[in-house]
Amino acid sequence: MILIDTTGPSSSGPLPAAARSSYLTSLRSLLAERSTPQGGQGGAPAHVSDIILTHWHRDHVAALPDVIRALALVQPRIPVRVWKFPCADEGEEDWKSERGRDAAIEYELAGLGSTEFVVQPGEGAAGSKRIHVLRQGQKFRLESELRDHHRHDDDNDQAAAVSDADVDAIELEVVHTPGHTSDSICLVLRRAALSSSSAAAVDDSAAQTPPPLGVFTADTVLGHGTAVFASLSSYLSSLSRLITSLSSSSSSSPAASSSSSDPNPNTDSQPQLPRIPLFPGHGDVVVDAIAKITEYRAHRLERERQVVQVLERAQRDESGPLTADE
């Protein structure tokens, strides 16, 4: 699986040829390395089954056709599903600049031709032929390549009732986070939830809601500075949704430790949360996702408060139009 966030100077500028070449070379090398069994242990070769687009901006999708062509050479006849959350409907004023963006990506994929066996048809939303439609809360299950090397041999061990797939699999959960764009998503990484029978076998109800292992935020939350947005109200709601999604499952984790997301933790009234790494589309990895997202939200609310104060002062003073500095 690939979380496609290819490099580029801006959301509207062209993708540099050198950056695209470097990206594709790294991808081919990685797949070639992972496809070669190490230590004589065998196993299925590595391949890419799904590509997830985090949003429509060109610095995140422009290399998609090139990536698919590269995969056709490395894994011929293995289908690759392309996934994306749809842009907002044309009737929504906040997102009018996004009209036709999904159709443009579809057009580029259509140019790949029907003779290539690497793109499966999508689910048909808005005339889509190539792109599968993402849904809020959708989960992608990734099986661990090491699963076969951790099988239980003791039939009397109660934990042996838990399947290896349940124990070792991890999953990505889609969280729709409009604001930066209408189709922006984040992906929460966690161990796959145990089935009800497996959870009963290990007698651990908390295992049904595993805490996050990390979160991929694309351009919703960056590793430096702050993100731009097209809709402030949507963006604030998305940040709140992210905080809730990460903290609600984290609070049930027995490994929870103090987090910097709360500068004045009250251990008597709320559980302490673990630090969850945040992997942004731009910038460095952030060690504490909840703290960073909380900081983002507080910053935007403070800016909103400052703007309201300036407007109220101008209305009271009746001193004429405000300057940019004011």
Side-chain angles (χ1 to χ4, degrees), residues 105-249:
I105 300 174
E106 286 284 3
Y107 179 81
E108 292 180 349
L109 293 183
L112 293 173
S114 60
T115 59
E116 299 190 48
F117 295 89
V118 293
V119 180
Q120 283 190 345
E123 296 178 351
S128 170
K129 296 181 180 179
R130 300 284 190 175
I131 299 175
H132 290 252
V133 178
L134 284 176
R135 305 182 304 276
Q136 163 66 25
Q138 184 173 350
K139 296 178 181 179
F140 291 84
R141 190 180 183 93
L142 295 84
E143 303 293 342
S144 170
E145 65 175 343
L146 299 177
R147 185 182 66 204
D148 292 338
H149 304 295
H150 294 279
R151 295 192 180 278
H152 300 286
D153 296 323
D154 186 359
D155 292 336
N156 296 322
D157 186 352
Q158 192 176 37
V162 182
S163 71
D164 294 320
D166 281 331
V167 171
D168 294 327
I170 58 176
E171 62 188 16
L172 288 164
E173 180 178 353
V174 175
V175 181
H176 184 210
T177 51
H180 179 66
T181 60
S182 69
D183 61 335
S184 287
I185 63 164
C186 293
L187 292 147
V188 178
L189 178 71
R190 56 169 56 100
R191 295 198 180 280
L194 296 178
S195 63
S196 58
S197 58
S198 298
V202 297
D203 193 25
D204 183 6
S205 59
Q208 296 184 57
T209 54
L213 301 173
V215 56
F216 298 91
T217 55
D219 287 5
T220 296
V221 180
L222 304 180
H224 57 76
T226 55
V228 298
F229 51 85
S231 169
L232 178 58
S233 60
S234 296
Y235 188 61
L236 288 173
S237 296
S238 293
L239 294 179
S240 297
R241 184 179 305 114
L242 266 179
I243 293 170
T244 299
S245 177
L246 294 174
S247 59
S248 60
S249 53

Side-chain angles (χ1 to χ4, degrees), residues 1-324:
M1 181 175 292
I2 303 177
L3 312 179
I4 269 285
D5 282 334
T6 52
T7 57
S10 70
S11 62
S12 58
L15 190 74
R20 180 173 63 250
S21 176
S22 176
Y23 183 93
L24 296 175
T25 299
S26 299
L27 173 62
R28 285 192 291 263
S29 298
L30 177 62
L31 285 174
E33 176 186 344
R34 303 297 283 174
S35 296
T36 303
Q38 299 179 1
Q41 295 176 341
H47 68 276
V48 174
S49 62
D50 298 85
I51 296 176
I52 300 176
L53 306 176
T54 60
H55 59 297
W56 67 265
H57 280 168
R58 296 298 294 167
D59 57 325
H60 291 254
V61 304
L64 178 60
D66 293 305
V67 169
I68 291 176
R69 291 187 185 98
L71 291 175
L73 299 176
V74 180
Q75 51 177 58
R77 295 186 175 272
I78 295 179
V80 177
R81 292 174 294 271
V82 179
W83 299 84
K84 182 183 175 299
F85 206 97
C87 289
D89 294 335
E90 294 186 3
E92 299 184 35
E93 189 65 21
D94 285 345
W95 314 112
K96 61 181 180 180
S97 64
E98 300 187 3
R99 294 170 185 170
R101 299 298 183 179
D102 288 340
I105 300 174
E106 286 284 3
Y107 179 81
E108 292 180 349
L109 293 183
L112 293 173
S114 60
T115 59
E116 299 190 48
F117 295 89
V118 293
V119 180
Q120 283 190 345
E123 296 178 351
S128 170
K129 296 181 180 179
R130 300 284 190 175
I131 299 175
H132 290 252
V133 178
L134 284 176
R135 305 182 304 276
Q136 163 66 25
Q138 184 173 350
K139 296 178 181 179
F140 291 84
R141 190 180 183 93
L142 295 84
E143 303 293 342
S144 170
E145 65 175 343
L146 299 177
R147 185 182 66 204
D148 292 338
H149 304 295
H150 294 279
R151 295 192 180 278
H152 300 286
D153 296 323
D154 186 359
D155 292 336
N156 296 322
D157 186 352
Q158 192 176 37
V162 182
S163 71
D164 294 320
D166 281 331
V167 171
D168 294 327
I170 58 176
E171 62 188 16
L172 288 164
E173 180 178 353
V174 175
V175 181
H176 184 210
T177 51
H180 179 66
T181 60
S182 69
D183 61 335
S184 287
I185 63 164
C186 293
L187 292 147
V188 178
L189 178 71
R190 56 169 56 100
R191 295 198 180 280
L194 296 178
S195 63
S196 58
S197 58
S198 298
V202 297
D203 193 25
D204 183 6
S205 59
Q208 296 184 57
T209 54
L213 301 173
V215 56
F216 298 91
T217 55
D219 287 5
T220 296
V221 180
L222 304 180
H224 57 76
T226 55
V228 298
F229 51 85
S231 169
L232 178 58
S233 60
S234 296
Y235 188 61
L236 288 173
S237 296
S238 293
L239 294 179
S240 297
R241 184 179 305 114
L242 266 179
I243 293 170
T244 299
S245 177
L246 294 174
S247 59
S248 60
S249 53
S250 297
S251 61
S252 63
S253 170
S257 57
S258 61
S259 167
S260 59
S261 60
D262 185 356
N264 299 298
N266 183 347
T267 56
D268 294 331
S269 61
Q270 63 182 22
Q272 296 182 346
L273 303 178
R275 292 189 175 189
I276 302 163
L278 181 151
F279 303 95
H282 302 270
D284 297 330
V285 174
V286 177
V287 297
D288 192 335
I290 297 176
K292 174 59 70 174
I293 300 168
T294 301
E295 173 191 323
Y296 255 54
R297 188 174 185 277
H299 172 73
R300 289 304 177 194
L301 288 172
E302 175 61 17
R303 284 285 186 264
E304 183 181 47
R305 186 187 65 81
Q306 291 173 347
V307 169
V308 171
Q309 287 180 336
V310 169
L311 293 175
E312 289 176 342
R313 185 174 70 250
Q315 186 177 30
R316 289 195 304 268
D317 295 346
E318 297 182 355
S319 53
L322 296 174
T323 67

